[in-house]
Amino acid sequence: MDTRRRAWLVALAAAVGLAGCGFRLRGAQLSLPFRTLRLQAGADSDVVQSLRAQLQASGVQVQLALPGVRLPATPVPEVVLLLEQDVRERAVVGTTAAGQVRELLLRRRVRWALRTLDGRELIGPTELQQERELAFAETVVLGKEAEEALLFDDMRAAIVRQLMVRLSRA
């Protein structure tokens, strides 16, 4: 048996084994208890866009309600997801003896609630928070800025995952 055929058979056996044990990729479709949702946010942000994409990928029709944007009359949403707050914070937590920044704490906080159209709370105001530490060096500022952007992106993805899991249990 040649090497290619053997590798193909091993991959096929692994796929069959994983399928049989109930393995699912992280981020696989969640079953949500509603089909239509109004996503109401104070401003457009990367969390709003990521959450909207995740909801749509899960089969939910999403109406995006931003300040100054008119909503269509139909379909009438089953629930309203209010994104009340989306804050990025950056704090210095360590300095050198010369007063230069050595370590930063990056924090992302999102406050949200889930309600019915008549205002009944399904999930009360909830805050999700992610934190990451970033070692900082003045000599590599551009690299650290790129690393900071990646860390904020990672925090956004983690918050959206947490929010989707909580919505699936509403």
Side-chain angles (χ1 to χ4, degrees), residues 5 9 11-12 26-27 31 36 42 45-46 49-50 72 101-102 110 115 125 134 146 149 151 154 161 163 166 168-169:
R5 177 178 261 173
L9 286 173
L12 180 64
R26 186 167 141 185
S31 176
T36 56
S45 72
D46 56 346
Q49 295 308 318
S50 293
V101 175
R102 184 175 35 175
V110 173
R115 298 185 179 129
L134 174 65
L151 289 172
D154 181 55
R161 273 193 309 272
L163 217 154
R166 291 184 187 200
S168 71
R169 296 178 183 155

Side-chain angles (χ1 to χ4, degrees), residues 84-104:
E84 300 168 347
Q85 185 182 43
D86 178 8
V87 178
R88 287 178 169 211
E89 297 172 340
R90 184 179 191 249
V92 175
V93 292
T95 58
T96 64
Q100 293 179 324
V101 175
R102 184 175 35 175
E103 191 173 353
L104 295 171

Side-chain angles (χ1 to χ4, degrees), residues 39-40 47 51 80-86 109-115 121-129 159 162-168 170:
L39 179 54
Q40 193 167 322
V47 170
L51 184 57
V80 177
L81 176 61
L82 301 163
L83 282 181
E84 300 168 347
Q85 185 182 43
D86 178 8
R109 293 182 301 131
V110 173
R111 188 170 171 83
W112 63 282
L114 185 69
R115 298 185 179 129
E121 283 189 351
L122 299 174
I123 300 175
T126 304
E127 186 172 289
L128 298 175
Q129 178 174 302
I159 285 175
Q162 287 177 354
L163 217 154
M164 289 295 293
V165 168
R166 291 184 187 200
L167 288 175
S168 71

